Amino acid sequence: MNSFVGMPSFPEASSVAVGDAQLRHNLRKATHTIRAKRAAVVGEQPDWAALREAGAAIKDRTLRHLDVYLERLEAAVVAAGGTVHWAADAAEANRIVTDLVKATGETEVVKVKSMATQEIDLNAALADAGIRAYETDLAELIVQLGDDWPSHILVPAIHRNRAEIREIFLEHMADWGRPAPPDLKDDPRALAEAARLHLRERFLSARVGISGANFAVAETGTLVVLESEGNGRMCLTLPETLISVVGIEKLVPTWQDLEVFMQLLPRSSTGERMNPYTSMWTGATEGQTFHLVLLDNGRTSVLADEVGRQALRCIRCSACLNVCPVYERAGGHAYGSVYPGPIGAILTPQLRGMAGPLEESLPYASTLCGACYEVCPVAINIPEVLLDLRAKAVTHGHVGQRLAMGAARRVLDSPRWLAVAQRSAGRFRRWTPKRLPGPLSAWSDTRDVPVPPKESFRQWWAASR
Amino acid sequence: MVGGEPMSSKDQILARVRSALADVPRDEDVPVPRDYDHSRSGPDVVELLVDRLVDYKAEVREVDDVAAAVAEALTRRRARRLAVPSGIPDSWLAEAEAVRDDPPLTPAELNALDGVVTGCAVAIAETGTIVLDAGPDQGRRALTLVPDYHLCVVRRDQIVRTVPEALERLDPSRPLTWISGPSATSDIELDRVEGVHGPRTLEVLIVVSRP
Amino acid sequence: MRVALFLTCVNDTLFPGTGKAVVRLLERLGCDVDFPPDQTCCGQMHFNTGYRDDARPLARRFGAVFDDYEAVVVPSGSCAAMIREWYPSLGITPPAGVYELTEFIVDVLGVTDVGAYFPHTVTYHPTCHSLRSLKVGSRPLDLLSSVRGLTLVPLGGAEECCGFGGTFSLKNPAVSAAMCSDKVRGVLDTQAEVLCAADNSCLMHIGGALSRQRTGVRVMHLAEILAATEADR
């Protein structure tokens, strides 16, 4: 997979995406489909608001005492025959996983879709060590075969439509294993069948599986993976060795807590009452060797921010992406991270720090319309975090903007100066330019400029009352 | 993995967590409001389960004679050789051949079978979900994964209405597989199509004892 | 009833007609309307762009000007949301009686039929802050439905943001324009003569595009429709 290093700022990347008619069409169709499905299954759950409140509280309970629950989880996993590793950053996690695979003597691994391993770019690290990682989730497979970037949390290939997927399969499946049938059609069923045939032998002979987890229960040491296709079950069940890379924020305190998330996640994510398959296992299961790698990689920095830490509640359902009008037009790649959309706009600058032009621009990649907050199953107030990050972003640089804002504030903080400005705008209204100068030209490129009135309201009020 | 570093990564991460949470009182415990429904009233659970299974493209039948119904289903499907966990009696299979997982079948052997017949641990009516816990009538997880056809027998007393009711009955120390319909994907244009890596046909027989 | 009008800087400067309409409407409904002249701006632009230190004095000014009024009416969903939802994060407690215009008419005055007459085909854009921050719900539609002569046509994708977002429209012009295009398409699909909303910022954005594209659809603040009567024609 390509990495996201050195990405341009969000406005730059998104302006290219906006011009891609095929991408716009694909995203519009997919996001509108899933929006309707989510709305329907959330609507039929009478206690949704209470579940959402409980979900947020359970995550806060975990995060606010994360050290306690991490140690509890470790003890439970070890007691159930698993081995627990701790990785402070991506490099360490990659080193741990690579060493574990090498120790098995295998040079191939099968992977379940996992955001954590995407985040640390595990496949590249494995490739450097001569280990080939086979992605088995259909969308991940499409991304891997197409040497592409993921653009959505749930469906990394959302930017591809069926016709494009067919072409990718026909062109690239042979490079990775069993080729696609030459008469492959673009019917989704046929495409799914091609993926089944392509990966079948791989699953049956795999000896090492790599996964993430949706939840890790501290009390019992149970890991939970939700999926649809059965590729997850294949990777979790058939190999002799299973390595799960899990972000430290994935914990929930108790077994009972799953009753909340097993309702919130499927309905928010794929818009189903329940996803086709969920696997829950505790430690070394059915004779398997099990390794759990707990990953920090910036999460503790997010945790340190009293406003921003709510982003760690995220259960990666992608409902916020699916309703976001900015995501729908800009596409996932413009966010320069495996976490696109509204959640990415608050997570990426926190995980990486506001170091580059991309990270600095992400808090502004939103109109603050609030649709994301409304659908978030764990009530992450994304607009609040965006605003907080903006307040941090302006503390350095942005000289021109700071001067303009300061000047505007001085005028707006004085009724007298505001009246002066209004009177001059009214006096020179005939000369209101059709095209505005400098950064304001962004407005007049596509919209007419409002012509100021002859007199402001306050002038009228003063004269008539 | 830790090498000669003065502080293990575990200690380092836990120290970072504690310093990040400097503002949080150590003895605090965030209360979790559990005002959501534990159970609910509504249509009969059998009726609801059938409706939800059908909605997600599983085949469902309400039966009273299990052995006859299993035999009938296998004949209809022309399934000849089936993986069968130890807790399922031979008598259910009538003319079909019961292939026992003892010694454990290899993935390739499982792949060559026509299907698998199991019971279940719990079924959740509202979501159309069958939960397997690797009990004697279900076998290890691979059994219900590799064969392309899964015939699952559900007893009425195994059906609950809601997800919380199901979790209460389940034992986290057992490997659990939640199954809601045949394998499917939403990865193409975010629309659901059935049939990928897991069994492409899920057939459920709900045993309702007649009064 | 005595009410203070917080018109907002945008309306005061660019859309005085909205202010006059609010005054006319509220007076017709029996209110005694005051426009405290020391009012300026709620600070939303500065706050939303990250300049909290510049927003704070503006928020303080708002408090100083309006604290003593029992009811403050704001004909802008986003400014009302700024005051009610975000002033606390600046360490400022907003005055208790701040109402968005439709909340005030429906909840405080208890009126949905304001005696208006407007014989035109109108579609309504709910604006994000009215919809999701203030949760004004069906109040604007209830008010519009009671206007005599008015044909209300539903707007497809009404709840989707128009792409204005204040400085978003300047910082992310391509995405903003793309969102606006889809909103314009939705408006044109209704065949309405007038696009109405309770926030002139969004209308300035959508209206600027409607005008640039010579669509012939005009935009009007909800207050201007509610203020219109048969005497106007």
Side-chain angles (χ1 to χ4, degrees):
Chain A
M1 187 189 25
N2 289 288
S3 83
F4 283 111
V5 177
M7 281 283 293
S9 72
F10 183 82
E12 218 178 305
S14 62
S15 68
V16 177
V18 157
D20 183 338
Q22 186 68 67
L23 176 69
R24 291 280 297 281
H25 173 84
N26 295 354
L27 283 172
R28 184 179 171 85
K29 185 165 183 232
T31 55
H32 285 248
T33 303
I34 192 71
R35 267 181 225 179
K37 288 177 67 184
R38 178 204 163 272
V41 294
V42 167
E44 73 178 34
Q45 185 86 22
D47 55 349
W48 187 257
L51 282 169
R52 182 173 185 253
E53 209 184 325
I58 291 167
K59 279 294 185 178
D60 282 352
R61 182 173 186 228
T62 320
L63 292 167
R64 290 173 73 82
H65 302 278
L66 190 56
D67 51 334
V68 175
Y69 294 114
L70 281 168
E71 291 198 283
R72 203 169 285 175
L73 176 74
E74 180 186 41
V77 170
V78 170
T83 309
V84 178
H85 311 258
W86 300 69
D89 55 25
E92 188 174 15
N94 286 332
R95 201 164 56 237
I96 293 169
V97 176
T98 306
D99 288 346
L100 289 171
V101 178
K102 276 189 187 161
T104 65
E106 291 296 311
T107 54
E108 294 183 352
V109 298
V110 287
K111 280 187 70 200
V112 200
K113 183 176 149 21
S114 134
M115 295 308 298
T117 60
Q118 273 187 16
E119 176 189 320
I120 62 176
D121 209 358
L122 176 64
N123 292 6
L126 289 172
D128 288 345
I131 300 160
R132 203 168 199 193
Y134 291 91
E135 293 292 350
T136 64
D137 167 77
L138 180 49
E140 289 285 11
L141 178 68
I142 296 162
V143 168
Q144 187 173 51
L145 292 177
D147 194 22
D148 202 349
W149 296 2
S151 71
H152 189 275
I153 290 174
L154 173 72
V155 188
I158 192 175
H159 55 289
R160 300 292 193 186
N161 68 15
R162 59 186 74 185
E164 294 169 288
I165 295 167
R166 172 181 168 269
E167 281 165 29
I168 291 168
F169 278 12
L170 283 171
E171 209 169 315
H172 297 292
M173 267 188 173
D175 308 341
W176 289 81
R178 181 175 170 152
D183 58 348
L184 182 65
K185 300 284 186 289
D186 68 356
D187 167 37
R189 261 168 226 289
L191 296 170
E193 168 76 10
R196 178 184 169 95
L197 293 172
H198 177 70
L199 288 171
R200 197 79 189 164
E201 273 309 310
R202 184 89 53 214
F203 284 133
L204 300 182
S205 59
R207 309 191 47 150
V208 181
I210 296 181
S211 83
N214 294 98
F215 304 103
V217 182
E219 174 188 47
T220 59
T222 309
L223 265 70
V224 184
V225 167
L226 283 76
E227 50 131 353
S228 295
E229 298 163 17
N231 65 308
R233 294 177 67 195
M234 292 280 181
C235 296
L236 298 170
T237 314
L238 297 183
E240 291 152 17
T241 303
L242 172 62
I243 306 166
S244 300
V245 182
V246 180
I248 53 173
E249 83 286 14
K250 293 280 138 191
L251 275 66
V252 296
T254 69
W255 172 249
Q256 191 199 356
D257 295 331
L258 290 179
E259 71 188 18
V260 175
F261 295 105
M262 288 303 292
Q263 299 190 74
L264 288 174
L265 183 50
R267 288 175 199 256
S268 299
S269 179
T270 47
E272 293 165 309
R273 294 186 192 100
M274 195 61 82
N275 49 297
Y277 299 129
T278 297
S279 297
M280 302 179 176
W281 75 98
T282 303
T285 306
E286 293 175 345
Q288 230 174 17
T289 303
F290 174 59
H291 295 274
L292 170 62
V293 182
L294 291 169
L295 176 72
D296 179 351
N297 202 33
R299 285 160 177 76
T300 45
S301 320
V302 185
L303 192 64
D305 190 303
E306 289 180 34
V307 175
R309 68 167 60 128
Q310 58 184 307
L312 295 177
R313 287 184 202 150
C314 176
I315 55 173
R316 310 281 189 262
C317 71
S318 63
C320 64
L321 279 66
N322 298 336
V323 297
C324 178
V326 175
Y327 175 85
E328 184 190 328
R329 275 89 186 173
H333 293 157
Y335 293 82
S337 146
V338 297
Y339 305 112
I343 187 63
I346 63 170
L347 210 46
T348 305
Q350 294 198 87
L351 284 171
R352 295 191 199 154
M354 276 192 270
L358 170 74
E359 291 80 7
E360 271 196 346
S361 67
L362 283 175
Y364 294 95
S366 165
T367 63
L368 305 173
C369 85
C372 49
Y373 178 30
E374 195 173 57
V375 297
C376 177
V378 286
I380 301 169
N381 190 337
I382 293 176
E384 181 187 32
V385 181
L386 287 168
L387 286 165
D388 194 64
L389 289 169
R390 290 179 186 188
K392 292 185 170 90
V394 297
T395 53
H396 55 278
H398 305 281
V399 180
Q401 178 176 276
R402 196 183 329 147
L403 291 173
M405 285 287 168
R409 193 260 298 152
R410 279 186 291 278
V411 172
L412 289 170
D413 198 17
S414 155
R416 203 163 61 87
W417 281 111
L418 177 58
V420 169
Q422 288 171 340
R423 275 198 300 277
S424 31
R427 199 165 299 140
F428 299 110
R429 61 196 295 267
R430 284 175 50 211
W431 290 284
T432 304
K434 289 258 181 297
R435 307 279 175 199
L436 297 173
L440 297 176
S441 65
W443 178 275
S444 55
D445 282 348
T446 54
R447 313 155 190 94
D448 283 346
V449 181
V451 177
K454 278 200 203 84
E455 61 173 8
S456 67
F457 179 85
R458 70 178 62 228
Q459 282 174 279
W460 172 81
W461 179 269
S464 63
R465 301 275 159 153
Chain B
M1 279 141 270
V2 177
E5 288 163 22
M7 199 181 192
S8 74
S9 291
K10 175 182 172 182
D11 292 340
Q12 197 187 331
I13 291 170
L14 289 174
R16 280 193 213 156
V17 168
R18 287 176 191 131
S19 116
L21 296 171
D23 62 303
V24 177
R26 299 293 302 169
D27 57 352
E28 170 211 78
D29 191 9
V30 180
V32 176
R34 297 193 189 266
D35 302 328
Y36 53 87
D37 299 337
H38 181 80
S39 55
R40 259 190 285 269
S41 56
D44 176 63
V45 286
V46 173
E47 197 183 310
L48 189 60
L49 178 63
V50 170
D51 176 79
R52 298 294 151 91
L53 282 166
V54 168
D55 198 24
Y56 283 160
K57 310 288 190 293
E59 293 171 21
V60 196
R61 275 178 183 72
E62 289 176 54
V63 302
D64 44 11
D65 182 346
V66 184
V70 170
E72 188 273 328
L74 297 180
T75 308
R76 184 162 25 83
R77 175 136 180 124
R78 297 198 186 87
R80 304 295 315 154
R81 297 182 69 238
L82 293 116
V84 180
S86 60
I88 301 283
D90 276 330
S91 60
W92 283 13
L93 272 74
E95 270 142 60
E97 179 192 347
V99 181
R100 299 289 173 178
D101 190 33
D102 181 24
L105 298 160
T106 65
E109 286 167 339
L110 282 169
N111 198 36
L113 299 178
D114 295 329
V116 57
V117 182
T118 72
C120 75
V122 175
I124 310 169
E126 279 192 346
T127 58
T129 304
I130 309 287
V131 186
L132 308 181
D133 72 353
D137 61 344
Q138 299 149 57
R140 65 191 170 99
R141 296 172 295 173
L143 241 56
T144 50
L145 171 62
V146 180
D148 201 17
Y149 168 68
H150 180 190
L151 180 63
C152 184
V153 178
V154 178
R155 294 195 316 268
R156 200 197 158 99
D157 63 306
Q158 291 174 317
I159 306 172
V160 297
R161 185 179 302 275
T162 67
V163 171
E165 288 171 328
L167 268 157
E168 201 174 47
R169 288 197 186 190
L170 293 167
D171 175 359
S173 69
R174 305 187 67 88
L176 302 173
T177 306
W178 296 38
I179 298 171
S180 309
S183 88
T185 181
S186 300
D187 281 357
I188 301 167
E189 301 173 8
L190 266 171
D191 216 354
R192 177 173 161 135
V193 291
E194 283 75 20
V196 202
H197 305 295
R200 287 180 290 187
T201 307
L202 172 68
E203 184 165 352
V204 180
L205 303 179
I206 302 175
V207 189
V208 282
S209 23
R210 308 282 172 198
Chain C
M1 182 172 187
R2 188 173 146 77
V3 298
L5 170 62
F6 173 57
L7 185 56
T8 82
C9 59
V10 167
N11 287 330
D12 178 14
T13 306
L14 293 174
F15 307 105
T18 298
K20 294 173 196 173
V22 173
V23 173
R24 188 178 165 201
L25 172 65
L26 292 180
E27 287 181 345
R28 193 170 78 217
L29 296 172
C31 296
D32 179 10
V33 182
D34 191 13
F35 177 83
D38 281 346
Q39 65 176 281
T40 56
C41 164
C42 66
Q44 183 183 190
M45 175 181 75
H46 290 97
F47 183 80
N48 282 359
T49 315
Y51 293 87
R52 298 194 173 193
D53 290 341
D54 286 306
R56 205 168 282 110
L58 296 170
R60 278 206 204 96
R61 163 178 294 278
F62 180 89
V65 173
F66 290 102
D67 251 346
D68 294 336
Y69 287 92
E70 205 180 315
V72 183
V73 175
V74 188
S76 157
S78 63
C79 298
M82 170 68 203
I83 295 159
R84 291 217 307 243
E85 192 176 354
W86 299 110
Y87 274 14
S89 65
L90 291 170
I92 291 166
T93 310
V98 175
Y99 301 96
E100 185 273 334
L101 177 69
T102 65
E103 293 175 330
F104 180 75
I105 297 172
V106 175
D107 300 352
V108 180
L109 300 181
V111 177
T112 49
D113 183 352
V114 297
Y117 173 73
F118 191 74
H120 299 281
T121 308
V122 175
T123 192
Y124 172 75
H125 170 59
T127 80
C128 301
H129 291 98
S130 295
L131 189 71
R132 283 180 281 264
S133 292
L134 302 175
K135 302 195 172 15
V136 301
S138 68
R139 291 178 186 85
L141 292 172
D142 295 344
L143 289 164
L144 281 170
S145 311
S146 309
V147 173
R148 271 170 283 285
L150 185 148
T151 308
L152 186 61
V153 286
L155 176 62
E159 298 196 350
E160 193 162 306
C161 177
C162 70
F164 174 56
T167 47
F168 176 84
S169 59
L170 303 179
K171 287 179 175 286
N172 286 284
V175 176
S176 175
M179 290 167 68
C180 193
S181 293
D182 288 342
K183 185 57 74 178
V184 164
R185 180 166 30 174
V187 172
L188 296 180
D189 284 348
T190 66
Q191 313 232 1
E193 305 165 65
V194 176
L195 169 69
C196 155
D199 203 319
N200 272 332
S201 309
C202 310
L203 285 180
M204 181 170 75
H205 174 70
I206 311 168
L210 285 167
S211 158
R212 171 64 60 85
Q213 294 171 34
R214 308 291 183 258
T215 59
V217 179
R218 65 189 155 125
V219 296
M220 283 178 83
H221 192 284
L222 177 67
E224 294 170 38
I225 292 178
L226 298 181
T229 61
E230 291 190 57
D232 296 340
R233 289 261 154 176

